[in-house]
Amino acid sequence: GAVVSQHPSWVICKSGTSVKIECRSLDFQATTMFWYRQFPKQSLMLMATSNEGSKATYEQGVEKDKFLINHASLTLSTLTVTSAHPEDSSFYICSARELTSGRAVTGELFFGEGSRLTVL
Amino acid sequence: AQKITQTQPGMFVQEKEAVTLDCTYDTSDQSYGLFWYKQPSSGEMIFLIYQGSYDEQNATEGRYSLNFQKARKSANLVISASQLGDSAMYFCAMRDSSYKLIFGSGTRLLVRP
């Protein structure tokens, strides 16, 4: 149980275009999802917290107009990188908390497979 | 502010031997959680082990154990009987009071045959 699926796994786009990444909780409802970015050989940096039915909360230094997050249902959050540039090339990974099992107490996050974005 | 520190960028271990990956943390919260995740080259994040700040016993999960020293604010991961498949990046992480997970810089472990 507690499977998170992310799509696409990898995407290549031209500079200036927008890219949408989907994050789905397959067998549980996720009121909160977290989006991370990971540059090569670096750690995961939290970008934003996505809350179902409300605006996302962005971490300091993350441009909310560039990284649009929508959490329209209890099983789907999307991250749209708008007007992508080569410096946005990175590994984006989402995660979610599952609130109905014993794992909810620990705060364990279940991660998607990640999406590797390359902007040419 | 919470902070996680992993001081070992890379580690080698001989197959079948044990290895300890270091992690120290800093927080002003009384209640927090500590995690270790494994990230193979494919990029997925694999949960290994969890330790709650109020847990008195060190956590264990199969070949993984967490050496939790609260006073020293350390949460080292011990992998026993290393296997070739253990070669990966390992991240220590801390959950804060808002359930955000903050990650350390990671340690790359290479298991030698």
Side-chain angles (χ1 to χ4, degrees):
Chain A
V3 178
V4 176
S5 178
Q6 200 170 329
H7 178 82
S9 300
W10 57 270
V11 57
I12 301 173
C13 70
K14 292 182 179 180
S15 185
T17 60
S18 295
V19 174
K20 180 185 285 188
I21 300 169
E22 293 186 347
C23 179
R24 293 181 186 275
S25 56
L26 297 186
D27 52 0
F28 67 100
Q29 294 182 331
T31 56
T32 302
M33 290 184 173
F34 301 92
W35 285 94
Y36 289 85
R37 178 169 55 184
Q38 185 181 28
F39 291 110
K41 300 188 188 301
Q42 294 189 23
S43 185
L44 282 74
M45 299 301 296
L46 181 63
M47 298 176 66
T49 303
S50 170
N51 301 297
E52 187 268 335
S54 65
K55 291 183 178 180
T57 305
Y58 290 82
E59 295 299 303
Q60 192 172 7
V62 177
E63 299 174 61
K64 61 180 181 181
D65 294 330
K66 182 169 186 59
F67 299 99
L68 300 179
I69 292 173
N70 184 282
H71 195 154
S73 78
L74 286 171
T75 59
L76 174 64
S77 176
T78 61
L79 168 67
T80 301
V81 183
T82 62
S83 186
H85 291 285
E87 56 265 30
D88 299 323
S89 298
S90 187
F91 187 65
Y92 294 87
I93 189 164
C94 70
S95 62
R97 288 182 62 204
E98 192 274 313
L99 298 178
T100 60
S101 75
R103 288 170 162 178
V105 176
T106 69
E108 178 186 346
L109 294 183
F110 298 91
F111 286 84
E113 307 93 329
S115 300
R116 196 166 302 279
L117 171 65
T118 301
V119 185
L120 303 177
Chain B
Q2 282 82 4
K3 187 177 180 181
I4 291 279
T5 302
Q6 294 180 254
T7 58
Q8 306 155 313
M11 291 279 288
F12 288 98
V13 64
Q14 203 67 32
E15 191 179 10
K16 300 181 184 177
E17 292 186 352
V19 63
T20 297
L21 306 184
D22 294 341
C23 174
T24 58
Y25 62 92
D26 191 20
T27 181
S28 55
D29 289 345
Q30 296 299 311
S31 176
Y32 52 89
L34 296 157
F35 298 81
W36 278 91
Y37 281 86
K38 172 184 177 181
Q39 187 181 43
S41 56
S42 57
E44 64 197 284
M45 296 293 287
I46 302 169
F47 165 78
L48 296 179
I49 197 166
Y50 166 81
Q51 180 85 40
S53 57
Y54 294 118
D55 295 340
E56 295 186 352
Q57 302 257 4
N58 285 342
T60 60
E61 291 278 356
R63 295 187 298 113
Y64 305 106
S65 60
L66 199 152
N67 184 359
F68 181 47
Q69 298 188 42
K70 193 171 183 177
R72 298 177 63 180
K73 294 189 174 180
S74 73
N76 299 340
L77 176 70
V78 180
I79 305 175
S80 62
S82 297
Q83 302 172 355
L84 295 178
D86 294 335
S87 294
M89 280 291 289
Y90 288 82
F91 290 100
C92 180
M94 179 167 62
R95 166 185 57 78
D96 69 9
S97 54
S98 64
Y99 284 86
K100 294 179 186 177
L101 214 54
I102 308 299
F103 286 85
S105 55
T107 296
R108 181 169 295 282
L109 178 67
L110 184 60
V111 181
R112 291 169 164 158

XYZ file of all heavy atoms in Angstrom, chain A residues 34 36 38 43 46 59 91 93 97 105-109 111, chain B residues 35 37 39 43 45 47 50 91 95 99-101 103-105:
270
model
N 4.236 17.000 -0.992
C 5.427 17.839 -0.966
C 6.182 17.672 -2.281
O 6.341 16.563 -2.784
C 6.346 17.442 0.194
C 5.700 17.553 1.550
C 5.062 16.462 2.123
C 5.736 18.749 2.255
C 4.467 16.559 3.372
C 5.146 18.849 3.508
C 4.506 17.755 4.068
N 9.821 18.258 -4.178
C 11.244 18.464 -3.964
C 11.945 18.600 -5.313
O 11.481 18.098 -6.331
C 11.859 17.263 -3.226
C 11.466 17.148 -1.767
C 10.293 16.521 -1.387
C 12.290 17.661 -0.767
C 9.942 16.402 -0.050
C 11.946 17.547 0.575
C 10.773 16.922 0.919
O 10.422 16.818 2.245
N 15.958 18.130 -6.949
C 17.274 17.590 -6.673
C 18.179 17.810 -7.871
O 17.964 17.241 -8.941
C 17.189 16.096 -6.343
C 18.508 15.481 -5.922
C 18.408 14.003 -5.615
O 17.558 13.296 -6.159
N 19.263 13.509 -4.727
N 21.428 17.157 -2.609
C 20.349 16.622 -1.791
C 18.994 17.062 -2.332
O 18.899 17.826 -3.294
C 20.524 17.116 -0.356
O 19.551 16.524 0.477
N 13.305 20.974 -0.507
C 11.866 21.157 -0.511
C 11.516 22.446 -1.235
O 12.052 23.508 -0.920
C 11.349 21.198 0.929
C 9.845 21.372 1.099
C 9.084 20.185 0.511
C 9.499 21.547 2.575
N 8.561 27.363 -0.265
C 9.736 27.623 0.561
C 10.411 28.911 0.096
O 10.235 29.352 -1.046
C 10.706 26.451 0.482
C 10.156 25.171 1.067
C 9.813 25.281 2.548
O 10.711 25.630 3.341
O 8.639 25.029 2.887
N 15.921 17.098 -11.252
C 15.089 15.929 -10.920
C 14.038 16.421 -9.934
O 14.375 16.942 -8.875
C 15.980 14.850 -10.300
C 15.316 13.533 -10.048
C 14.849 12.768 -11.097
C 15.174 13.036 -8.753
C 14.248 11.531 -10.870
C 14.569 11.807 -8.521
C 14.112 11.056 -9.584
N 10.772 15.537 -7.603
C 10.183 14.352 -6.973
C 9.110 14.779 -5.977
O 9.298 15.729 -5.207
C 11.285 13.485 -6.318
C 10.742 12.141 -5.846
C 11.998 14.212 -5.197
C 11.834 11.128 -5.550
N 1.935 12.143 2.403
C 1.707 11.470 3.674
C 0.447 10.645 3.572
O -0.537 11.081 2.988
C 1.524 12.493 4.800
C 2.769 13.227 5.217
C 2.441 14.159 6.360
N 1.975 13.422 7.537
C 1.202 13.947 8.481
N 0.782 15.190 8.375
N 0.828 13.237 9.522
N 1.568 8.630 12.036
C 2.123 9.222 13.253
C 3.579 9.583 13.049
O 4.052 10.619 13.524
C 1.969 8.241 14.429
C 2.627 8.817 15.678
C 0.500 7.945 14.684
N 4.306 8.733 12.341
C 5.730 8.998 12.184
C 5.993 10.142 11.217
O 7.020 10.797 11.295
C 6.466 7.752 11.658
O 6.081 7.512 10.303
C 6.158 6.534 12.510
N 5.057 10.385 10.318
C 5.292 11.403 9.305
C 6.062 10.894 8.112
O 6.572 11.677 7.308
N 6.133 9.561 7.987
C 6.855 9.002 6.851
C 6.231 9.485 5.556
O 5.013 9.546 5.408
C 6.801 7.473 6.897
C 7.487 6.796 5.718
C 7.299 5.296 5.722
O 6.875 4.761 6.767
O 7.566 4.662 4.690
N 7.081 9.844 4.617
C 6.612 10.265 3.299
C 6.818 9.149 2.294
O 7.813 8.427 2.352
C 7.369 11.511 2.833
C 7.148 12.799 3.634
C 7.912 13.948 2.991
C 5.675 13.126 3.757
N 7.301 8.433 -1.639
C 7.807 9.205 -2.763
C 7.389 8.626 -4.107
O 7.284 7.399 -4.275
C 9.341 9.264 -2.712
C 9.869 10.192 -1.652
C 10.001 9.768 -0.345
C 10.205 11.499 -1.977
C 10.475 10.623 0.629
C 10.686 12.360 -1.003
C 10.810 11.927 0.297
N 14.650 10.013 9.930
C 14.491 8.981 8.913
C 15.814 8.762 8.181
O 16.645 9.663 8.088
C 13.466 9.417 7.853
C 12.074 9.639 8.369
C 11.728 10.820 9.006
C 11.101 8.675 8.188
C 10.431 11.037 9.466
C 9.805 8.880 8.640
C 9.473 10.063 9.281
N 16.705 7.353 4.252
C 16.224 6.900 2.958
C 17.421 6.496 2.107
O 18.507 7.082 2.204
C 15.466 8.015 2.234
C 14.049 8.228 2.705
C 13.775 9.050 3.796
C 12.977 7.630 2.050
C 12.470 9.258 4.226
C 11.667 7.838 2.471
C 11.433 8.647 3.560
O 10.134 8.855 3.985
N 18.677 6.063 -1.880
C 18.360 6.478 -3.249
C 19.327 5.803 -4.219
O 20.472 6.219 -4.369
C 18.428 8.004 -3.407
C 17.943 8.479 -4.781
C 18.028 9.983 -4.958
O 19.015 10.602 -4.578
N 16.990 10.570 -5.549
N 16.920 6.840 -8.870
C 16.344 8.063 -8.333
C 15.232 7.890 -7.318
O 14.886 8.836 -6.617
N 13.207 7.051 -3.966
C 13.554 7.187 -2.556
C 12.946 6.009 -1.805
O 11.723 5.822 -1.808
C 13.011 8.503 -1.993
C 13.622 9.734 -2.629
S 15.366 9.920 -2.228
C 15.277 10.428 -0.520
N 12.395 4.156 1.761
C 12.419 4.311 3.207
C 13.154 3.137 3.847
O 12.923 1.978 3.493
C 10.984 4.373 3.729
C 10.857 4.185 5.215
C 11.149 5.232 6.078
C 10.478 2.968 5.747
C 11.029 5.060 7.451
C 10.354 2.797 7.114
C 10.637 3.840 7.970
N 13.037 4.496 10.805
C 12.521 5.698 11.474
C 12.799 5.629 12.970
O 12.729 4.556 13.578
C 11.009 5.794 11.255
C 10.329 6.790 12.161
C 10.353 8.147 11.865
C 9.670 6.377 13.329
C 9.743 9.066 12.697
C 9.060 7.291 14.166
C 9.088 8.635 13.845
O 8.486 9.544 14.673
N 20.361 9.140 2.530
C 20.008 10.444 3.072
C 19.394 10.296 4.456
O 18.501 9.471 4.670
C 18.999 11.157 2.169
C 19.563 11.610 0.857
C 19.363 10.883 -0.297
C 20.304 12.786 0.772
C 19.878 11.293 -1.513
C 20.829 13.210 -0.438
C 20.610 12.461 -1.577
N 11.908 15.133 10.314
C 10.564 15.687 10.193
C 10.405 16.774 11.234
O 10.709 16.556 12.413
C 9.520 14.603 10.426
C 8.125 15.167 10.657
C 7.110 14.104 11.009
N 7.441 13.307 12.172
C 7.311 13.675 13.428
N 6.883 14.885 13.719
N 7.616 12.854 14.414
N 5.494 18.568 9.752
C 5.612 17.332 8.964
C 6.358 17.522 7.655
O 6.268 16.681 6.779
C 4.253 16.667 8.741
C 3.772 15.957 9.978
C 3.065 16.643 10.943
C 4.078 14.615 10.192
C 2.651 15.999 12.099
C 3.673 13.967 11.347
C 2.958 14.672 12.294
O 2.559 14.040 13.441
N 7.112 18.615 7.525
C 8.025 18.708 6.406
C 9.222 17.820 6.697
O 9.642 17.673 7.842
C 8.527 20.145 6.239
C 7.483 21.152 5.846
C 8.126 22.524 5.744
C 7.093 23.596 5.505
N 7.722 24.942 5.474
N 9.808 17.276 5.635
C 10.991 16.437 5.778
C 12.176 17.198 5.216
O 12.180 17.577 4.039
C 10.768 15.127 5.028
C 11.378 13.857 5.581
C 10.985 13.632 7.024
C 10.965 12.668 4.738
N 16.240 17.184 4.416
C 17.246 16.170 4.136
C 18.662 16.684 4.360
O 18.950 17.866 4.169
C 17.120 15.698 2.685
C 15.936 14.820 2.446
C 14.686 15.362 2.180
C 16.054 13.444 2.499
C 13.578 14.561 1.988
C 14.957 12.626 2.299
C 13.720 13.191 2.044
N 19.540 15.774 4.730
C 20.960 16.060 4.757
C 21.537 15.982 3.356
O 20.825 15.697 2.389
N 22.843 16.214 3.256
C 23.494 16.274 1.947
C 23.753 14.903 1.344
O 24.068 14.802 0.169
C 24.803 17.053 2.056
O 25.619 16.478 3.052
